Amino acid sequence: MNADVKDPGLAKAGWDRIAWADGEMPVLRTIRERFTCERPLAGTRIAACLHVTTETANLMRTLHDGGAQVALCASNPLSTQDDVAAALVSEWHLPVFARRGEDRDTYYRHINQTLDTNPNFTMDDGADLVSTIHNSRPELLREVRGGSEETTTGVIRLRSMAKAGVLKYPIV
């Protein structure tokens, strides 16, 4: 599997922390249980550029258990939890591209590796996936049906793109 994490040996510690966080996220756990049976996201490819934390790990697990093919890169290299990234690769076999403290070149290489999955949907924190698709990878636009953005900074970037008439798919 294609992935880039700091130390795969951290997976056990990451799994323990993900499991603990899962206990504090009952709504997401309930959705995951339902998704495991129903698999409503089967055939969907999701590229996510988010903080790689225990909370995000449980979201990725939920999407994966719902049938989606999920790829994740870090939206903020300083918030990346290396043990969590390792656990997502080791335990769930998800392509994760995240290293705490990665440099700018590595950051954008990871964004492109995540986009290499040819996503149908994007999940963004800062609109770097969306910007990269529009500026460097426009061939991906044929497959992308929509996306989400979670930050004010990203929303400002997306509104600017929409106002200029260059945003090519809907973002929530």
Side-chain angles (χ1 to χ4, degrees):
M1 177 186 34
N2 196 10
D4 185 13
V5 298
K6 187 173 245 169
D7 181 359
L10 297 172
K12 170 67 171 103
W15 164 240
D16 291 344
R17 290 185 347 99
I18 291 167
W20 180 86
D22 187 52
E24 302 298 317
M25 303 173 79
V27 172
L28 192 59
R29 188 175 54 255
T30 300
I31 292 168
R32 186 172 55 254
E33 290 167 0
R34 180 176 159 198
F35 274 18
T36 299
C37 295
E38 296 175 9
R39 311 238 341 132
L41 302 175
T44 301
R45 296 179 309 278
I46 301 171
C49 183
L50 302 168
H51 292 271
V52 180
T53 63
T54 56
E55 297 84 0
T56 299
N58 281 302
L59 175 59
M60 296 300 104
R61 290 175 58 203
T62 300
L63 297 171
H64 176 264
D65 288 353
Q69 295 174 12
V70 181
L72 173 65
C73 64
S75 64
N76 182 338
L78 298 177
S79 68
T80 296
Q81 298 170 350
D82 287 323
D83 58 341
V84 169
L88 287 169
V89 172
S90 175
E91 300 295 322
W92 290 278
H93 310 289
L94 297 181
V96 176
F97 308 95
R99 292 172 167 261
R100 182 171 180 80
E102 65 192 20
D103 61 29
R104 185 179 189 283
D105 290 341
T106 304
Y107 176 76
Y108 282 101
R109 183 178 76 244
H110 285 167
I111 284 176
N112 279 293
Q113 287 174 298
T114 302
L115 291 174
D116 286 345
T117 62
N118 197 27
N120 305 119
F121 294 95
T122 59
M123 299 180 74
D124 229 334
D125 177 346
D128 283 340
L129 282 177
V130 175
S131 295
T132 301
I133 289 171
H134 283 76
N135 295 327
S136 306
R137 308 279 305 267
E139 73 281 1
L140 297 176
L141 289 167
R142 289 186 301 269
E143 296 289 328
V144 179
R145 292 183 261 168
S148 66
E149 171 56 49
E150 72 173 68
T151 65
T152 303
T153 301
V155 169
I156 290 168
R157 291 175 77 187
L158 294 169
R159 284 185 178 156
S160 175
M161 290 174 70
K163 186 176 180 180
V166 297
L167 184 60
K168 302 294 183 190
Y169 61 93
I171 308 285
V172 175

